[in-house]
Amino acid sequence: MEKPCRYDLSAIKRSLELAETLASVSLMTSPAARRRLQARSVELGLRPGQPYEPPRELLLYLVRMGSFTSTVKIDNEDSQDKDLQFDNHMSYQQLLEYCRTHNNQWPNSQLIERTFSSIPYDQDSVEGNPVRVLQWNVLSQALGQNNDRFDSCPLEALEWKHRRCHMLEEILKHNPDIICLQEVDHFDFLSRALATQSYSGLFVPKPDSPCVYINDNNGPDGCAIFYKNDKFDLLEKHDKVLQVWTVHSNQVSLLLVLKDKSTQKELCVSTTHLKARKGALLSTLRNEQGKDLLQFISSHAADRPTIVCGDFNAEPTEPVYSTMCSCSYLPLDSAYKLSGSEPLYTSWKIRGGEGEVMHTIDYMFYTKHKLTVSNILDMPKEIDIGENRVPSMTYPSDHFSLISDFYFNNNTTNFCE
């Protein structure tokens, strides 16, 4: 087994406190705050206007902060769903019924009901049929059951044999064309189950997933993208470990270039899951990841319509949100913002030691000059979520899925022409 990482924690703590202070001041805009930052920067030997960059040792510690570096890795393969054997000719209902018959932990329960909202658009400016995209942090099984302390959630609701049924139902009930997922640590199950509904998928794990430090894990978690193989051809696949000030982090991005078989239109789709945890320094770190993400996507998107989905672990007030929506070389907008503003929440949970947390951290960004949004899936109502929030017996994750319908604008380049 791999030996745990060792750090000089006292030095790390001092460095972290300084970096947090500088990051907090740098996010302020008042003249006094800027003077404080400039004075402190001079003390640290930085040139005027030079941004503060945390020491490399601190960065290496921060980018692995989600992993349990005080313990050893427990390497397991993705093998916990071998009890299920799927028939490629299953209908959607047959697939769900088959999974339910193998769910001996809890009787059938109904998922939270949700509705769509229509977004006004100019029908003369679009062409073809819409592409429905689903974005969802599905909640890693190893983390959700053993680490995240969902104290208000019934233990039965966190059992994998119960969750996997609801997970499939939430993904398939709205018939998405493309599926972007994070915290996937049961890719084998999803891949084989979704294959019965004509989906193909690809997966990229985190380089140092926190899951592999937990007993009875099912391998590392990571990001996945599935697409309907009867609608799209896969042209390219790329993945990247995101960098923070040239240091590799523990977060990844997966990118696919797809071609619509009927229209020959090409589409770039990417998904990611940025660094979690609160604080000004972590907010700054996420912003650096966002910058690297944009460069990665633009290097492969060319002039194609592009959709970027993910759990960004950042409220709309954080710098990375503005970074994603103000990129000069990859002009993006947020699909859900078109309803007037971002949702009040995309995640609503109760955690031991943290209490009730309701925040908006999941997004669907798209190239607004090449795509048009016509529908979005609304967040569920509080009364339907329930007082114990999620995950629950009626919803399998602590994040709600996002769904948008995208049309190609009729000025979109056809790469095959």
Side-chain angles (χ1 to χ4, degrees), residues 217-392:
N217 69 76
N218 193 50
D221 78 303
C223 294
I225 300 178
F226 293 88
Y227 61 93
K228 282 190 173 179
N229 52 40
D230 56 357
K231 182 168 184 174
F232 297 102
D233 287 321
L234 175 64
L235 300 184
E236 299 177 27
K237 176 259 183 182
H238 305 277
D239 60 75
K240 177 180 175 59
V241 177
L242 297 178
Q243 294 186 21
V244 180
W245 293 294
T246 72
V247 173
H248 282 88
S249 70
N250 198 26
Q251 280 64 52
V252 296
S253 177
L254 174 62
L255 180 150
L256 304 185
V257 177
L258 304 172
K259 182 172 71 173
D260 190 308
K261 292 182 178 182
S262 62
T263 66
Q264 302 301 299
K265 297 285 188 181
E266 294 183 14
L267 179 67
C268 177
V269 181
S270 180
T271 190
T272 193
H273 185 185
L274 299 191
K275 182 67 181 172
R277 301 202 183 201
K278 298 178 181 179
L281 180 58
L282 271 297
S283 177
T284 303
L285 187 150
R286 279 188 288 274
N287 195 36
E288 293 300 316
Q289 289 182 325
K291 294 175 184 177
D292 195 40
L293 173 67
L294 288 170
Q295 291 178 1
F296 165 62
I297 295 171
S298 65
S299 68
H300 298 292
D303 198 36
R304 299 179 179 94
T306 299
I307 299 170
V308 185
C309 297
D311 174 0
F312 283 72
N313 272 307
E315 293 276 4
T317 53
E318 280 203 23
V320 69
Y321 181 87
S322 176
T323 294
M324 294 300 297
C325 293
S326 60
C327 180
S328 60
Y329 54 86
L330 188 65
L332 298 173
D333 203 352
S334 171
Y336 270 68
K337 191 178 70 174
L338 296 179
S339 64
S341 62
E342 295 291 352
L344 292 176
Y345 49 85
T346 62
S347 175
W348 199 347
K349 64 197 109 182
I350 299 174
R351 276 178 168 164
E354 190 176 3
E356 188 165 359
V357 180
M358 179 184 72
H359 51 188
T360 301
I361 54 178
D362 307 275
Y363 304 99
M364 306 181 79
F365 299 107
Y366 70 104
T367 45
K368 52 191 175 184
H369 60 299
K370 294 185 177 296
L371 296 167
T372 293
V373 177
S374 61
N375 290 293
I376 58 171
L377 181 64
D378 299 327
M379 291 300 114
K381 298 176 181 178
E382 179 178 0
I383 190 172
D384 296 323
I385 294 171
E387 62 181 11
N388 292 325
R389 310 317 181 197
V390 291
S392 66

Side-chain angles (χ1 to χ4, degrees), residues 39-144:
R40 194 69 182 96
S41 298
V42 170
E43 292 178 20
L44 293 170
L46 300 178
R47 296 189 302 272
Q50 179 183 357
Y52 172 70
E53 180 177 317
R56 186 175 181 84
E57 184 184 31
L58 175 59
L59 281 175
L60 290 171
Y61 174 76
L62 286 172
V63 297
R64 293 292 186 267
M65 220 162 63
S67 303
F68 309 118
T69 53
S70 61
T71 59
V72 295
K73 285 187 177 182
I74 305 167
D75 293 321
N76 287 324
E77 295 182 355
D78 186 351
S79 60
Q80 293 180 2
D81 299 288
K82 299 304 183 185
D83 60 314
L84 298 178
Q85 300 297 323
F86 298 103
D87 184 339
N88 285 335
H89 302 290
M90 282 180 169
S91 68
Y92 164 56
Q93 289 299 330
Q94 289 172 332
L95 175 62
L96 292 184
E97 288 304 318
Y98 175 74
C99 289
R100 286 167 182 157
T101 61
H102 287 73
N103 168 22
N104 56 14
Q105 301 295 319
W106 196 259
N108 182 29
S109 57
Q110 296 297 314
L111 273 178
I112 294 174
E113 288 295 326
R114 301 169 66 182
T115 58
F116 279 88
S117 286
S118 297
I119 305 297
Y121 68 99
D122 180 4
Q123 296 184 13
D124 293 332
S125 68
V126 303
E127 59 181 302
N129 295 317
V131 176
R132 175 162 288 186
V133 182
L134 179 146
Q135 147 60 30
W136 195 20
N137 179 328
V138 296
L139 177 61
S140 152
Q141 181 60 28
L143 297 176

